[in-house]
Amino acid sequence: MPGAELIDPIPYAGWWPWVALGIVLVVVAWYVWVVRSTRAPAQAPPATLPATQTNRPYARAQSDPYAALRGTTLARLDEVERRYRAQEIDVRGVNLEMRWALREFATGRTGVDTTAMTAETARLDRRTRPLASLLENSSLPAFASTSRTRVGRTLDQARKLVRAW
């Protein structure tokens, strides 16, 4: 092409950079909308009660998010004790049902699935550590054919754990 002149390339139209910027802004706005619409609404921090009100029995129930779970678990433990007193279940049955109730409470309290958790694994996880000693103490009575465990004492320990945790 010896005689041909070189021609400069044709520039893009002036509106193309604005289209590109608009697309980027739409994508960023979409990501912001997705993140904001899928987050839980922010909750105000719980109001602190004056020291005089915390001694009242109902003060803890009003501020305790696990009060319903505690009540259900304590009622279940009371039912287990009633069934033992009525001789519907034996010591082994009491310990098995107590372990089940405590595992359900721990799962609801911590969010960790404790249905198959041993005392050793409960001790390793800081969220379930309070459950470990009761699981360990009730293992032998729950799986032995006979036991000299005192049911009242075991259920009292379980209730104490549920109330304190």
Side-chain angles (χ1 to χ4, degrees), residues 38-67:
T38 57
R39 287 197 176 177
Q43 296 178 355
T48 57
L49 297 173
T52 58
Q53 289 185 354
T54 56
N55 295 335
R56 296 181 184 165
Y58 62 86
R60 181 175 179 187
Q62 291 176 347
S63 64
D64 184 12
Y66 304 107

Short mmCIF file of all heavy atoms in Angstrom, two decimals, residues 38-67:
data_model
loop_
_atom_site.label_atom_id
_atom_site.label_comp_id
_atom_site.label_asym_id
_atom_site.label_seq_id
_atom_site.Cartn_x
_atom_site.Cartn_y
_atom_site.Cartn_z
N THR A 38 -30.91 -8.16 53.23
CA THR A 38 -30.81 -9.49 53.83
C THR A 38 -30.28 -9.47 55.25
O THR A 38 -30.23 -10.51 55.90
CB THR A 38 -29.89 -10.39 52.98
OG1 THR A 38 -28.60 -9.77 52.86
CG2 THR A 38 -30.48 -10.64 51.61
N ARG A 39 -29.90 -8.34 55.76
CA ARG A 39 -29.43 -8.26 57.15
C ARG A 39 -30.61 -8.09 58.09
O ARG A 39 -31.63 -7.51 57.75
CB ARG A 39 -28.50 -7.06 57.34
CG ARG A 39 -27.17 -7.31 56.71
CD ARG A 39 -26.18 -6.36 57.25
NE ARG A 39 -24.88 -6.69 56.70
CZ ARG A 39 -23.81 -6.01 56.93
NH1 ARG A 39 -23.87 -4.97 57.71
NH2 ARG A 39 -22.68 -6.36 56.40
N ALA A 40 -30.42 -8.61 59.31
CA ALA A 40 -31.45 -8.44 60.34
C ALA A 40 -31.46 -6.98 60.76
O ALA A 40 -30.42 -6.32 60.78
CB ALA A 40 -31.16 -9.33 61.53
N PRO A 41 -32.63 -6.46 61.13
CA PRO A 41 -32.67 -5.07 61.57
C PRO A 41 -31.87 -4.88 62.86
O PRO A 41 -31.85 -5.75 63.72
CB PRO A 41 -34.16 -4.80 61.80
CG PRO A 41 -34.78 -6.14 61.93
CD PRO A 41 -33.92 -7.09 61.16
N ALA A 42 -31.23 -3.76 62.95
CA ALA A 42 -30.44 -3.47 64.15
C ALA A 42 -31.38 -3.28 65.33
O ALA A 42 -32.42 -2.63 65.22
CB ALA A 42 -29.61 -2.21 63.92
N GLN A 43 -31.00 -3.87 66.44
CA GLN A 43 -31.82 -3.75 67.63
C GLN A 43 -31.15 -2.81 68.61
O GLN A 43 -29.92 -2.78 68.71
CB GLN A 43 -32.01 -5.11 68.28
CG GLN A 43 -32.77 -6.07 67.41
CD GLN A 43 -32.90 -7.43 68.06
OE1 GLN A 43 -32.34 -7.69 69.10
NE2 GLN A 43 -33.64 -8.32 67.42
N ALA A 44 -31.96 -2.09 69.32
CA ALA A 44 -31.42 -1.19 70.33
C ALA A 44 -30.82 -2.02 71.46
O ALA A 44 -31.33 -3.09 71.79
CB ALA A 44 -32.52 -0.29 70.86
N PRO A 45 -29.73 -1.55 72.07
CA PRO A 45 -29.17 -2.30 73.19
C PRO A 45 -30.17 -2.38 74.33
O PRO A 45 -30.96 -1.45 74.53
CB PRO A 45 -27.92 -1.51 73.58
CG PRO A 45 -28.12 -0.15 72.99
CD PRO A 45 -29.01 -0.32 71.79
N PRO A 46 -30.18 -3.48 75.07
CA PRO A 46 -31.15 -3.61 76.16
C PRO A 46 -30.89 -2.56 77.23
O PRO A 46 -29.74 -2.25 77.56
CB PRO A 46 -30.90 -5.02 76.71
CG PRO A 46 -29.53 -5.38 76.24
CD PRO A 46 -29.29 -4.62 74.98
N ALA A 47 -31.97 -2.04 77.73
CA ALA A 47 -31.86 -1.03 78.78
C ALA A 47 -31.35 -1.69 80.06
O ALA A 47 -31.81 -2.76 80.44
CB ALA A 47 -33.21 -0.37 79.03
N THR A 48 -30.41 -1.05 80.69
CA THR A 48 -29.89 -1.60 81.94
C THR A 48 -30.83 -1.24 83.08
O THR A 48 -31.35 -0.13 83.15
CB THR A 48 -28.49 -1.05 82.24
OG1 THR A 48 -28.55 0.37 82.29
CG2 THR A 48 -27.51 -1.48 81.15
N LEU A 49 -31.04 -2.20 83.95
CA LEU A 49 -31.91 -1.98 85.09
C LEU A 49 -31.11 -1.44 86.26
O LEU A 49 -29.96 -1.84 86.46
CB LEU A 49 -32.57 -3.31 85.50
CG LEU A 49 -33.48 -3.93 84.46
CD1 LEU A 49 -33.93 -5.30 84.93
CD2 LEU A 49 -34.67 -3.05 84.22
N PRO A 50 -31.69 -0.55 87.04
CA PRO A 50 -31.00 -0.10 88.24
C PRO A 50 -30.75 -1.28 89.18
O PRO A 50 -31.44 -2.29 89.13
CB PRO A 50 -31.98 0.90 88.88
CG PRO A 50 -32.93 1.27 87.79
CD PRO A 50 -32.95 0.13 86.82
N ALA A 51 -29.78 -1.15 90.05
CA ALA A 51 -29.39 -2.24 90.94
C ALA A 51 -30.53 -2.69 91.83
O ALA A 51 -30.62 -3.85 92.21
CB ALA A 51 -28.20 -1.82 91.79
N THR A 52 -31.44 -1.81 92.18
CA THR A 52 -32.54 -2.18 93.06
C THR A 52 -33.54 -3.09 92.36
O THR A 52 -34.20 -3.88 93.00
CB THR A 52 -33.27 -0.92 93.58
OG1 THR A 52 -33.73 -0.19 92.45
CG2 THR A 52 -32.34 -0.08 94.42
N GLN A 53 -33.65 -2.96 91.03
CA GLN A 53 -34.63 -3.77 90.32
C GLN A 53 -34.13 -5.17 89.99
O GLN A 53 -34.92 -6.05 89.75
CB GLN A 53 -35.04 -3.08 89.03
CG GLN A 53 -35.89 -1.85 89.25
CD GLN A 53 -36.37 -1.27 87.94
OE1 GLN A 53 -35.97 -1.71 86.88
NE2 GLN A 53 -37.22 -0.27 88.03
N THR A 54 -32.83 -5.38 89.95
CA THR A 54 -32.32 -6.69 89.57
C THR A 54 -32.57 -7.74 90.65
O THR A 54 -32.47 -8.92 90.38
CB THR A 54 -30.81 -6.64 89.27
OG1 THR A 54 -30.15 -6.11 90.42
CG2 THR A 54 -30.53 -5.78 88.06
N ASN A 55 -32.88 -7.34 91.87
CA ASN A 55 -33.15 -8.29 92.94
C ASN A 55 -34.57 -8.83 92.88
O ASN A 55 -34.89 -9.80 93.56
CB ASN A 55 -32.90 -7.65 94.31
CG ASN A 55 -31.43 -7.30 94.49
OD1 ASN A 55 -30.57 -7.91 93.87
ND2 ASN A 55 -31.16 -6.31 95.32
N ARG A 56 -35.41 -8.21 92.10
CA ARG A 56 -36.79 -8.68 92.00
C ARG A 56 -36.84 -9.94 91.14
O ARG A 56 -36.14 -10.05 90.15
CB ARG A 56 -37.67 -7.58 91.38
CG ARG A 56 -37.74 -6.36 92.26
CD ARG A 56 -38.64 -5.33 91.64
NE ARG A 56 -38.61 -4.13 92.45
CZ ARG A 56 -39.05 -2.97 92.03
NH1 ARG A 56 -39.55 -2.85 90.83
NH2 ARG A 56 -39.00 -1.93 92.82
N PRO A 57 -37.71 -10.87 91.49
CA PRO A 57 -37.74 -12.14 90.74
C PRO A 57 -38.16 -11.98 89.29
O PRO A 57 -37.73 -12.73 88.44
CB PRO A 57 -38.72 -13.00 91.52
CG PRO A 57 -39.46 -12.09 92.41
CD PRO A 57 -38.62 -10.86 92.60
N TYR A 58 -39.01 -11.00 88.98
CA TYR A 58 -39.49 -10.86 87.62
C TYR A 58 -38.53 -10.07 86.76
O TYR A 58 -38.66 -10.05 85.54
CB TYR A 58 -40.88 -10.21 87.58
CG TYR A 58 -40.90 -8.81 88.13
CD1 TYR A 58 -40.59 -7.73 87.33
CD2 TYR A 58 -41.23 -8.57 89.46
CE1 TYR A 58 -40.60 -6.45 87.83
CE2 TYR A 58 -41.25 -7.30 89.95
CZ TYR A 58 -40.93 -6.23 89.14
OH TYR A 58 -40.95 -4.96 89.63
N ALA A 59 -37.54 -9.41 87.31
CA ALA A 59 -36.63 -8.59 86.53
C ALA A 59 -35.81 -9.45 85.57
O ALA A 59 -35.59 -9.08 84.43
CB ALA A 59 -35.70 -7.80 87.44
N ARG A 60 -35.36 -10.60 86.03
CA ARG A 60 -34.57 -11.47 85.16
C ARG A 60 -35.44 -12.04 84.04
O ARG A 60 -35.00 -12.16 82.91
CB ARG A 60 -33.95 -12.60 85.97
CG ARG A 60 -33.10 -13.49 85.10
CD ARG A 60 -32.38 -14.52 85.87
NE ARG A 60 -31.62 -15.34 84.93
CZ ARG A 60 -30.98 -16.41 85.26
NH1 ARG A 60 -30.95 -16.81 86.50
NH2 ARG A 60 -30.33 -17.10 84.36
N ALA A 61 -36.67 -12.39 84.36
CA ALA A 61 -37.55 -12.98 83.35
C ALA A 61 -37.83 -11.98 82.22
O ALA A 61 -37.97 -12.37 81.07
CB ALA A 61 -38.85 -13.42 83.99
N GLN A 62 -37.91 -10.68 82.55
CA GLN A 62 -38.17 -9.69 81.53
C GLN A 62 -36.96 -9.48 80.62
O GLN A 62 -37.12 -9.20 79.45
CB GLN A 62 -38.56 -8.37 82.17
CG GLN A 62 -39.90 -8.40 82.85
CD GLN A 62 -40.22 -7.11 83.57
OE1 GLN A 62 -39.36 -6.28 83.78
NE2 GLN A 62 -41.46 -6.96 83.97
N SER A 63 -35.76 -9.63 81.15
CA SER A 63 -34.57 -9.37 80.35
C SER A 63 -33.91 -10.65 79.83
O SER A 63 -32.93 -10.57 79.12
CB SER A 63 -33.57 -8.57 81.17
OG SER A 63 -33.13 -9.35 82.26
N ASP A 64 -34.42 -11.79 80.18
CA ASP A 64 -33.80 -13.06 79.80
C ASP A 64 -34.40 -13.56 78.49
O ASP A 64 -35.57 -13.93 78.44
CB ASP A 64 -34.02 -14.09 80.91
CG ASP A 64 -33.34 -15.41 80.63
OD1 ASP A 64 -32.51 -15.47 79.70
OD2 ASP A 64 -33.61 -16.38 81.35
N PRO A 65 -33.61 -13.61 77.41
CA PRO A 65 -34.16 -14.10 76.14
C PRO A 65 -34.43 -15.60 76.14
O PRO A 65 -35.10 -16.11 75.26
CB PRO A 65 -33.08 -13.74 75.12
CG PRO A 65 -31.83 -13.64 75.91
CD PRO A 65 -32.23 -13.19 77.29
N TYR A 66 -33.90 -16.31 77.14
CA TYR A 66 -34.07 -17.76 77.20
C TYR A 66 -35.08 -18.17 78.28
O TYR A 66 -35.11 -19.33 78.67
CB TYR A 66 -32.73 -18.44 77.47
CG TYR A 66 -31.69 -18.08 76.44
CD1 TYR A 66 -30.64 -17.22 76.76
CD2 TYR A 66 -31.76 -18.57 75.15
CE1 TYR A 66 -29.70 -16.87 75.80
CE2 TYR A 66 -30.83 -18.23 74.20
CZ TYR A 66 -29.80 -17.38 74.53
OH TYR A 66 -28.87 -17.04 73.60
N ALA A 67 -35.88 -17.24 78.75
CA ALA A 67 -36.82 -17.53 79.83
C ALA A 67 -37.82 -18.62 79.43
O ALA A 67 -38.11 -19.52 80.22
CB ALA A 67 -37.55 -16.26 80.24
#
